[in-house]
Amino acid sequence: MFDHAYGSYMKHAYPADELMPLSCRGRVRGMEPSRGDVDDALGKFSLTLIDTLDTLVVLNKLDEFEDAVRKVVLDVRLDNDVVVSVFETNIRVLGGLLGGHIMADMLKAQGMRLQWYKDELLHLARDLGYRLLPAFNTTSGLPYPRLISVRNGVGTTPVCSWVEGRVIWRLCVVYVHSSLRSQDTARRALDVLWEKRQKGNDLVGTVINIHNGDWVRRDSGVGAGIDSYYEYLMKAYILLGDDTYLDRFNAHYVAIMKYISQPPLLLNVHMHNPTVSIRSWMDSLLAFFPGLQVLRGDLKPAIETHEMLYQVTKQHKFLPEAFTSDFAVYWAQHPLRPEFAESTYFLYKATRDPYYLQVGKSIVESLNEYARVACGFAAVQDVRTGRHEDRMDSFFLAEMFKYLYLLFTEKRDLPLDIDDFIFTTEAHLLPLSLSTARPPCPRNMTLGYSVTLACQSPYSVVSLPPQQDASPLGLFSLKFITELVDPPAAEQQGISPLAVQVLSPPFFGRTVLTAGPAQFGMDLTKQEHGVVLSEPYQACAAISNRKEVQGKMALAQRGECMFATKARNLQEAGASGVIFIDNAEGSCSEEMVLFQMVGDGSTSDIVIPLVFLFQKEGQVLLDALSQHRNVDVLLATKPVFLGGGKRNQTVVGAEHWMR
Ligand code: DMJ
């Protein structure tokens, strides 16, 4: 798929900024009808090539990478007289050049290739960084959203501007390699946003006037306009080691979880009156948020929101640009955005739940089925009709393929240790060894990453001189939480496991299966019933064995449609409850994080009890059903000990009941 996309760009579009996959030619600014703001990403600097550089290395396409670096060095000019978006240029071009430089440097150091390379990409990045800096010359210190000319570095004067907090962190990174000026500039702009937060609840709005610092749009969310600001606070802390960023991130995060997060939904609220949701739709950019929650170690809401997003993609094949809280299309476009794949990757890394591989597979299948065209992959103009749009944005190559490839590739098959890098908002890879700051020893904080570093004594921050040597890991070595510590137990996440106890002979209550709860349906009050297999097993369509299901606990397999849909179908057929069984081969509650099944936004009609079993636990019931005529189970919050005492009981799954 990558070869098809990248090959088409190189064949039909390069050196243009983007490929037009339906017309099979490059999009050159000024040569095509204007598309408004979207065109501000195009600066006549072979955008797609630069944005793809580090993806080529991740995908082990090292010949192509060396060739691409040569092309950038020889062909790309930054002094084009064209209006560009400061944010897009920053994340895609500056980020792409830095990611490319880091890869080139690494490969050169290995002694096999790029021996000719002399930091040319880094010099280009620094040049571009300086060209962007004048955008910050405003009274407030917040940057202009656009530069009139990359050549001269002059900002446009909008009446009001988009929050450009997102631009800030990347400039911190330029600082690492260049001068203090960039970091000071970036820091000042971040300080303004922090100052302008709503005191009392720590929420920020979406659009701010860069001249007087007044909020223009006061709706507060985690999607379009503000998404990367949160990401930068967290990652600036990880990379630069300054506690201020973590403290600010945590303050905003508490506010987000209190007001914006209404699991599984993330709804915008008014920053001054946050108890009221101000819209009932969500935008697709917020799909990055579960990935950020994984970095913070907050798996439960991440799993729930991701599952909600998955259900939306199932209904519409892709995430529409905006969708309502009952998953209807609000804005039907889908420009092949990578955020859902990004969160899927991070959740898989954190949980190792093969379910996320299936989600990834469904993304791959939809792309091939509905977006692949003769000259690349085309954005979808309307997910309801499947009509294509003549665009393939550079982030599709920078991000989508990187996350999908990483999702399915074993660590040992990658040309780099991915855990030694941090992903920028455009998925460019920055090594953790970049940091010149030594942070204090970890305090009382919950980071999904466990930070291992040569730290100072607790609570004392000592600035060290910049790192002189080029040790591969530098002062930081960050590994995913799953490699060092167990993911948070279900209990820690506030999820109480339930018990499915098999009562009928020959089990006599001695077999207890650990089950997960649902956010909807009836609470379990000792429900005892016979078990029957639902037909169809996935229960996404009308139930055909209604007679058998009447008054029984139905077994239904996870997948294909929402838990709520299955529950409704089975309730309608007369089932007394549903036991869902995971469809991921080999999953079991000892190894997986127990989660709560989420509904579809309006589940008050579902009044039967619902529980979830991982595959290994579910198999016990399936085997029992195939061997015995009647299988009776008790669904309860705790197993009931029936004669013989605890010691004779077989608990399949975690040890919850034996503690
Ligand atoms: C990308 O350019 C980046 O991920 C950015 O942060 C926001 N979204 C687009 C892709 O959707």
Side-chain angles (χ1 to χ4, degrees):
M1 289 168 75
F2 173 83
D3 287 344
H4 180 60
Y6 180 67
S8 297
Y9 166 74
M10 292 308 285
K11 182 168 173 199
H12 302 292
Y14 178 79
D17 282 316
E18 273 180 8
L19 170 70
M20 294 168 71
L22 302 181
S23 315
C24 298
R25 63 167 192 268
R27 182 182 297 280
V28 178
R29 190 98 176 259
M31 308 276 284
E32 304 291 335
S34 167
R35 299 175 302 168
D37 289 355
V38 185
D39 283 340
D40 290 344
L42 313 179
K44 300 192 174 174
F45 31 41
S46 301
L47 173 70
T48 301
L49 182 69
I50 294 178
D51 222 3
T52 311
L53 287 174
D54 53 9
T55 304
L56 286 166
V57 177
V58 171
L59 271 65
N60 234 326
K61 300 197 163 285
L62 304 185
D63 291 341
E64 289 88 340
F65 174 69
E66 184 155 0
D67 185 46
V69 175
R70 266 189 218 283
K71 285 195 164 62
V72 173
V73 171
L74 292 174
D75 300 347
V76 170
R77 294 186 58 107
L78 295 175
D79 58 354
N80 305 309
D81 208 359
V82 56
V83 178
V84 293
S85 152
V86 175
F87 172 67
E88 299 297 350
T89 307
N90 185 41
I91 66 165
R92 302 194 203 191
V93 185
L94 206 153
L97 290 169
L98 285 177
H101 162 68
I102 285 149
M103 297 298 120
D105 207 32
M106 178 187 82
L107 293 172
K108 183 181 175 185
Q110 290 168 3
M112 304 293 283
R113 26 177 104 238
L114 283 133
Q115 297 306 306
W116 55 269
Y117 179 70
K118 294 198 172 52
D119 295 347
E120 288 90 341
L121 298 180
L122 179 61
H123 295 307
L124 274 172
R126 184 159 52 190
D127 181 8
L128 182 59
Y130 280 121
R131 286 172 193 276
L132 293 176
L133 275 178
F136 288 77
N137 292 340
T138 61
T139 4
S140 65
L142 292 168
Y144 286 103
R146 288 185 206 89
L147 279 182
I148 283 183
S149 152
V150 189
R151 181 184 294 167
N152 304 316
V154 185
T156 58
T157 320
V159 179
C160 59
S161 94
W162 217 28
V163 167
E164 289 294 345
R166 305 196 284 181
V167 92
I168 291 159
W169 180 64
R170 189 62 46 77
L171 288 170
C172 292
V173 173
V174 175
Y175 151 77
V176 170
H177 286 290
S178 55
S179 81
L180 203 59
R181 201 171 132 220
S182 310
Q183 196 187 37
D184 278 352
T185 307
R187 173 72 189 232
R188 196 168 61 239
L190 269 184
D191 289 348
V192 177
L193 290 182
W194 176 248
E195 266 311 301
K196 294 291 175 185
R197 77 195 184 283
Q198 180 66 24
K199 312 282 181 332
N201 64 27
D202 293 327
L203 291 169
V204 285
T206 316
V207 177
I208 197 166
N209 182 315
I210 57 166
H211 297 296
N212 61 19
D214 289 345
W215 289 107
V216 176
R217 272 186 48 201
R218 297 186 169 82
D219 53 317
S220 191
V222 296
I226 196 68
D227 46 354
S228 306
Y229 167 60
Y230 303 120
E231 187 177 352
Y232 286 171
L233 286 176
M234 164 67 96
K235 292 180 177 176
Y237 166 71
I238 295 173
L239 196 67
L240 303 173
D242 181 340
D243 275 357
T244 311
Y245 297 121
L246 180 64
D247 293 342
R248 289 181 187 177
F249 175 83
N250 279 338
H252 289 311
Y253 189 77
V254 168
I256 290 167
M257 295 315 286
K258 184 164 177 192
Y259 300 110
I260 295 168
S261 168
Q262 300 168 33
L265 312 177
L266 287 163
L267 292 173
N268 280 30
V269 296
H270 195 291
M271 62 185 284
H272 296 153
N273 186 11
T275 49
V276 183
S277 298
I278 53 172
R279 62 187 206 200
S280 59
W281 52 272
M282 291 162 273
D283 66 69
S284 66
L285 287 172
L286 61 73
F288 88 103
F289 199 69
L292 188 62
Q293 290 181 305
V294 170
L295 286 189
R296 196 183 182 276
D298 208 358
L299 285 185
K300 180 175 172 248
I303 289 170
E304 289 171 1
T305 299
H306 178 275
E307 180 61 23
M308 178 272 292
L309 295 167
Y310 185 37
Q311 297 305 331
V312 180
T313 65
K314 275 186 171 169
Q315 276 191 30
H316 305 293
K317 303 180 183 76
F318 298 104
L319 265 193
E321 277 293 73
F323 47 92
T324 63
S325 49
D326 52 3
F327 306 167
V329 170
Y330 192 80
W331 179 10
Q333 195 188 23
H334 173 74
L336 308 180
R337 288 198 189 279
E339 283 78 3
F340 181 59
E342 173 183 352
S343 286
T344 304
Y345 164 68
F346 280 110
L347 273 164
Y348 179 65
K349 282 276 285 186
T351 63
R352 290 284 155 195
D353 185 341
Y355 177 65
Y356 295 107
L357 295 178
Q358 292 187 17
V359 177
K361 185 166 172 256
S362 78
I363 299 174
V364 168
E365 285 169 354
S366 293
L367 286 171
N368 275 327
E369 203 166 330
Y370 306 110
R372 193 178 180 121
V373 293
C375 294
F377 288 81
V380 179
Q381 191 159 55
D382 190 325
V383 294
R384 293 164 300 196
T385 60
R387 188 151 68 99
H388 286 139
E389 202 181 341
D390 204 1
R391 68 187 266 197
M392 185 180 87
D393 287 71
S394 66
F395 51 69
F396 185 57
L397 290 162
E399 300 194 63
M400 183 71 93
F401 288 111
K402 211 179 268 149
Y403 288 123
L404 287 177
Y405 189 79
L406 288 170
L407 176 66
F408 291 109
T409 307
E410 295 296 338
K411 246 170 102 92
R412 61 173 178 274
D413 296 329
L414 291 171
L416 40 76
D417 184 347
I418 200 67
D419 295 339
D420 292 337
F421 294 85
I422 190 155
F423 294 82
T424 71
T425 198
E426 185 80 355
H428 291 306
L429 300 177
L430 299 177
L432 293 163
S433 56
L434 261 184
S435 176
T436 55
R438 182 186 284 198
C441 290
R443 299 170 311 159
N444 232 354
M445 61 181 184
T446 329
L447 270 181
Y449 275 113
S450 168
V451 184
T452 321
L453 59 160
C455 58
Q456 300 297 316
S457 58
Y459 310 113
S460 70
V461 185
V462 180
S463 297
L464 293 179
Q467 192 187 352
Q468 296 301 321
D469 70 328
S471 72
L473 291 181
L475 290 171
F476 289 88
S477 167
L478 275 82
K479 297 282 176 195
F480 250 97
I481 189 166
T482 43
E483 292 177 17
L484 294 174
V485 287
D486 291 333
E491 291 90 329
Q492 279 167 295
Q493 299 182 51
I495 298 175
S496 307
L498 303 170
V500 174
Q501 193 166 9
V502 193
L503 300 178
S504 48
F507 302 97
F508 301 112
R510 288 195 298 265
T511 295
V512 182
L513 309 172
T514 300
Q519 276 185 349
F520 57 106
M522 187 202 275
D523 283 346
L524 305 190
T525 39
K526 292 196 184 158
Q527 302 275 336
E528 182 182 333
H529 290 281
V531 167
V532 67
L533 216 56
S534 158
E535 281 173 24
Y537 184 31
Q538 288 189 320
C540 293
I543 306 303
S544 54
N545 59 338
R546 298 173 71 93
K547 237 167 103 188
E548 290 82 359
V549 158
Q550 275 286 332
K552 296 270 180 66
M553 286 289 163
L555 300 185
Q557 193 187 35
R558 182 184 191 180
E560 281 307 308
C561 63
M562 297 201 68
F563 288 123
T565 309
K566 296 169 194 278
R568 273 193 199 99
N569 288 340
L570 285 161
Q571 176 173 289
E572 197 273 325
S576 60
V578 185
I579 300 175
F580 296 104
I581 297 181
D582 199 8
N583 53 354
E585 199 53 40
S587 68
C588 64
S589 67
E590 265 168 357
E591 286 167 16
M592 317 297 289
V593 181
L594 214 56
F595 66 94
Q596 231 175 352
M597 293 178 283
V598 291
D600 58 4
S602 54
T603 42
S604 50
D605 57 318
I606 301 174
V607 294
I608 52 176
L610 312 164
V611 298
F612 176 86
L613 293 179
F614 283 111
Q615 204 263 334
K616 187 172 152 197
E617 286 83 353
Q619 195 59 45
V620 175
L621 286 185
L622 296 175
D623 290 346
L625 263 186
S626 67
Q627 288 162 24
H628 310 283
R629 251 172 75 83
N630 291 321
V631 178
D632 294 329
V633 295
L634 176 72
L635 304 193
T637 49
K638 273 192 204 129
V640 176
F641 293 106
L642 311 162
K646 268 189 189 183
R647 266 176 295 134
N648 292 339
Q649 251 167 348
T650 313
V651 178
V652 183
E655 296 169 323
H656 309 288
W657 315 118
M658 307 304 268
R659 284 184 195 134

